[in-house]
Amino acid sequence: MAAPQPRPGVLQVKPYIGGESQLPGITRVIKLASNESALGPSPHAIEAARADAEVMHRYPDGDAIELRKALGAHHGLDPAQIVCGAGSDEILHLICQGYCSPGDEVLYTKHGFAIYPVAAQASGATPVAAPEVNLTASVDNLLAAVTPKTKIVFLANPNNPTGTYISADELKRLRAGLPEHVLFVIDSAYAEFVGANDYSAGVELVNAGENTMMTRTFSKIYAMGGMRLGWAYCPPNVADVLNRVRGPFNVTSAALAAGKAALEDKAFVALAREHNDYWRPWLADELAKIGITTTPSVANFVLARFPEAAGRDAKSADAFLRKNGIIVRAMGGYHLPDCLRITIGTGEELRLLVKALTEFQKGNGAIQ
Ligand code: PMP
């Protein structure tokens, strides 16, 4: 008997592999592998989630009205153009589900966020990667890769795992060069960490027409990765499509409550930003001192490059760090086998990481 067959493309999906949290035999693990916040969530968000536990027998507000209103007020956006999701990952999937058919192409950058090809293939579309220049998205290369089949362009800005970004002018040039029917998705998951004054999360491009949208997350600066909460700001036509394809209760009531509380705790977000502003350059400088170069990241992680020499390469460094209880992210899946991505953890965690890498660079065995 013939077994049920999934839609074309599904079996080509390489499942996304998240950062690990445990190391056998090691009690204190330092996890710098998933770009989580060093400070943890706002105490107000924790309290809101706790209070929500008492009423978990009730379904959540499927329209996320209070949270969308709060997001609208916070960012100066029309709540009717905001759609919430179980993490921005869900929204990336919904976009492909809503817009792609088999044969369509979904364009992204060579070292772009790993969910883009997964979401494309899950919807039967073909992922197409445009080359980057200096580990940075190239508008020219993206435009050159557009074909009549291109349906969606995904751009993480800043990008994970490279940490690099393109300016507001470049974003605008990319949009202007894309055919009007192509949906341009600006994934601004790390926007809150960016200090550069030529940066834009993309709101003005969303407002300019019917074919650009921005996605955001509560997993990074708001430190709520485990809650699964993200959102999109879209033109009304795109919001309508996402609202049709999403599940009616796709966001839990705990996530809605915690998200609103986290958004309102501006002092806590400012602390997280200050922490990152101090420790990211500190880490880049300390790594440079021991001969490890990093990309000019504007997010809450750095991408560190190791030479390809045997015993000195990224794989050996990763193994050495693990022996010392530190988990960072190997980058083979991102076509960057000579790199490791390191999240900005607490000051203590980063000092221990630098100490371990200093030993590694000297060629010493595991530190105690
Ligand atoms: N976009 C980018 C660029 C990311 O790095 C991540 C998280 N790793 C996401 C989207 C998805 O985040 P979440 O689903 O937790 O909102």
Side-chain angles (χ1 to χ4, degrees):
M1 209 167 48
Q5 291 302 304
R7 64 191 302 168
V10 169
L11 296 180
Q12 272 82 59
V13 170
K14 283 200 205 118
Y16 180 82
I17 301 168
E20 291 157 81
S21 314
Q22 283 168 353
L23 291 169
I26 295 190
T27 37
R28 185 189 173 192
V29 171
I30 295 177
K31 186 186 177 197
L32 304 172
S34 298
N35 300 342
E36 294 155 342
S37 171
L39 306 190
S42 151
H44 295 290
I46 296 172
E47 194 38 51
R50 275 212 183 100
D52 182 79
E54 302 288 335
V55 285
M56 67 165 85
H57 58 300
R58 302 283 179 209
Y59 275 90
D61 168 17
D63 291 326
I65 291 174
E66 290 302 317
L67 179 64
R68 287 190 299 110
K69 266 199 221 156
L71 284 166
H74 185 90
H75 292 280
L77 307 173
D78 179 356
Q81 290 176 241
I82 294 173
V83 179
C84 295
S88 49
D89 277 349
E90 187 198 17
I91 294 172
L92 302 173
H93 278 276
L94 292 175
I95 295 164
C96 290
Q97 204 183 316
Y99 284 93
C100 291
S101 305
D104 288 340
E105 291 176 357
V106 170
L107 187 56
Y108 64 109
T109 61
K110 173 92 190 267
H111 308 294
F113 180 47
I115 289 295
Y116 307 146
V118 171
Q121 285 176 313
S123 69
T126 305
V128 177
E132 298 187 14
V133 175
N134 294 332
L135 296 179
T136 306
S138 157
V139 171
D140 294 321
N141 290 347
L142 280 164
L143 292 177
V146 172
T147 76
K149 293 180 183 167
T150 307
K151 204 66 187 265
I152 294 173
V153 174
F154 282 117
L155 179 75
N157 201 39
N159 182 49
N160 169 21
T162 55
T164 57
Y165 78 103
I166 62 170
S167 69
D169 285 348
E170 282 290 273
L171 270 189
K172 200 170 160 192
R173 187 164 79 83
L174 176 52
R175 174 66 268 179
L178 292 172
E180 291 213 339
H181 69 272
V182 170
L183 178 59
F184 180 27
V185 183
I186 305 170
D187 175 348
S188 304
Y190 299 90
E192 293 87 354
F193 292 109
V194 186
N197 54 17
D198 63 350
Y199 173 77
S200 163
V203 169
E204 68 289 347
L205 285 180
V206 180
N207 290 338
E210 296 190 319
N211 51 17
T212 304
M213 63 180 291
M214 167 186 79
T215 57
R216 303 288 286 260
T217 183
F218 276 87
S219 301
K220 304 304 169 188
I221 207 156
Y222 293 102
M224 285 175 42
M227 267 290 173
R228 312 308 302 128
L229 182 62
W231 56 283
Y233 175 58
C234 346
N237 53 306
V238 177
D240 178 48
V241 168
L242 298 184
N243 279 323
R244 284 170 198 267
V245 295
R246 73 177 173 84
F249 303 108
N250 60 331
V251 179
T252 66
S253 50
L256 293 173
K260 186 162 177 282
L263 195 63
E264 283 160 3
D265 194 350
K266 293 186 182 160
F268 197 80
V269 176
L271 267 186
R273 170 73 190 267
E274 268 169 40
H275 177 88
N276 201 59
D277 284 348
Y278 178 81
W279 288 102
R280 186 188 56 219
W282 180 89
L283 178 60
D285 288 351
E286 292 297 316
L287 293 179
K289 282 184 206 162
I290 55 172
I292 299 168
T293 55
T294 54
T295 54
S297 172
V298 294
N300 69 336
F301 54 86
V302 300
L303 185 71
R305 184 167 242 163
F306 292 78
E308 275 166 31
R312 320 283 335 127
D313 57 8
K315 211 171 158 195
S316 314
D318 191 24
F320 184 84
L321 288 174
R322 281 165 179 268
K323 259 201 277 176
N324 289 285
I326 302 172
I327 309 179
V328 297
R329 188 72 80 90
M331 291 280 107
Y334 281 95
H335 313 289
L336 296 164
D338 56 339
C339 294
L340 295 176
R341 194 194 64 197
I342 306 168
T343 302
I344 303 305
T346 64
E348 189 209 2
E349 289 169 338
L350 295 178
R351 286 187 201 283
L352 288 169
L353 169 98
V354 168
K355 192 170 162 204
L357 282 176
T358 304
E359 292 303 312
F360 172 75
Q361 290 292 84
K362 284 187 204 154
N364 292 342
I367 52 168
Q368 296 310 309

